[in-house]
């Protein structure tokens, strides 16, 4: 009997673990998971405006900034709650591939427009939604793609909790934000204040920032630099910027996302 006891225990442990299902992200990486502890069924699933194609091909593609890490490939798995008013809450990363890919997914999802919420018995209900974001690392030259896209094509109007915080792209904006004195004054400001970190270094630094309703700059980011602290210097200079004339849409002052190149010479 003593000889059989270890064997019985091993069989019990194996049986217990065999009943445990692996997370969906491992068993089916491309699956979309919709669930709620309080509602096992819904009449209609939550949906991004325009459907899954708009979510992946427009919103994610236009807003997710791929990491500047050559040959990096993988998926970031995200989970969030679609609230009854269509906003997203409790955004979490189930798994990422490092290099800030998870943090970037959270940043983008916080920009999401309101979804059509799930319905059950003709009432809107909260619903947990999970899906993967395919990530492909790029080299520094490819990061210009975001710069060009940002300046030539409109991105989705961004909603953060309420319409008062929408962020617009410059494309299609009724009244563009403007540096005091115009474009020439902006170029002069950058030239007078930017200090080349290294002698004889030449190139361009590409930066993005949000022009707030009061004309101040926020969320300053570097898309591409040429090393040697050139990106950090660009951020330092942009933080010195005087307030801009803010952009306008429908006769209202709005927040605007803008991208600019800064010459290093």
């Amino acid at each position: 009997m003593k000889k059989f006891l270890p064997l019985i225990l091993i069989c019990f442990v194996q049986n217990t673990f065999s009943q445990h299902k692996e997370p969906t992200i491992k068993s089916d990486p491309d699956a979309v998971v919709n669930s709620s502890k309080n509602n096992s069924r819904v009449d209609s699933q939550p949906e991004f405006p325009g459907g899954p194609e708009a979510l992946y091909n427009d919103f994610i593609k236009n807003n997710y900034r791929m990491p500047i890490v050559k040959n990096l490939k993988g998926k970031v798995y995200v989970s969030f709650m679609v609230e009854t008013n269509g906003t997203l809450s409790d955004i979490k990363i189930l798994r990422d591939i490092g290099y800030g890919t998870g943090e970037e997914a959270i940043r983008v999802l916080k920009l999401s427009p309101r979804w059509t919420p799930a319905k059950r018995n003709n009432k809107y209900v909260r619903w947990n939604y999970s899906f993967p974001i395919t990530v492909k690392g790029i080299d520094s030259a490819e990061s210009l793609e975001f710069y060009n896209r940002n300046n030539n094509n409109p991105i989705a109007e961004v909603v953060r909790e309420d319409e008062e915080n929408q962020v617009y792209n410059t494309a299609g904006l009724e009244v563009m934000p403007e540096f005091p004195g115009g474009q020439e004054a902006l170029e002069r400001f950058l030239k007078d204040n930017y200090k080349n970190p290294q002698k004889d270094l030449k190139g361009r630094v590409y930066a993005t920032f949000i022009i707030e309703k009061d004309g101040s700059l926020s969320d300053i980011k570097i898309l591409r630099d040429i090393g040697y602290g050139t990106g950090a210097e660009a951020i330092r200079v942009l933080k010195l910027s005087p307030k801009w004339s803010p952009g306008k849409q429908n006769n209202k002052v709005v927040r605007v996302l803008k991208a600019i190149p800064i010459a290093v010479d």
Side-chain angles (χ1 to χ4, degrees), residues 48-75:
F48 182 86
E53 287 190 7
L55 171 62
Y56 283 100
N57 297 333
D58 295 327
F59 181 72
I60 298 295
K61 183 178 179 180
N62 286 341
N63 290 284
Y64 192 97
R65 299 172 185 173
M66 296 298 174
I68 305 177
V69 182
K70 198 171 183 180
N71 299 323
L72 182 70
K73 292 182 180 180
K75 291 179 183 288

Side-chain angles (χ1 to χ4, degrees), residues 128-183:
N128 184 257
Y129 197 96
S130 302
F131 72 95
I133 297 174
T134 300
V135 175
K136 179 183 177 182
I138 59 177
D139 60 33
S140 58
E142 289 177 291
S143 63
L144 284 176
E145 221 176 277
F146 180 86
Y147 169 78
N148 292 328
R149 183 165 63 240
N150 182 57
N151 281 277
N152 293 296
N153 297 304
I155 59 173
E157 289 184 357
V158 178
V159 180
R160 304 188 196 198
E161 296 185 358
D162 56 65
E163 293 183 359
E164 291 299 315
N165 287 323
Q166 283 185 347
V167 178
Y168 291 80
N169 188 271
T170 53
L173 199 65
E174 290 176 358
V175 178
M176 299 292 179
E178 187 177 59
F179 184 86
Q183 183 63 27

Side-chain angles (χ1 to χ4, degrees), residues 86-98:
T87 59
L88 307 187
S89 67
D90 196 28
I91 301 171
K92 294 178 180 177
I93 299 301
L94 304 179
R95 190 174 82 193
D96 64 23
I97 55 175

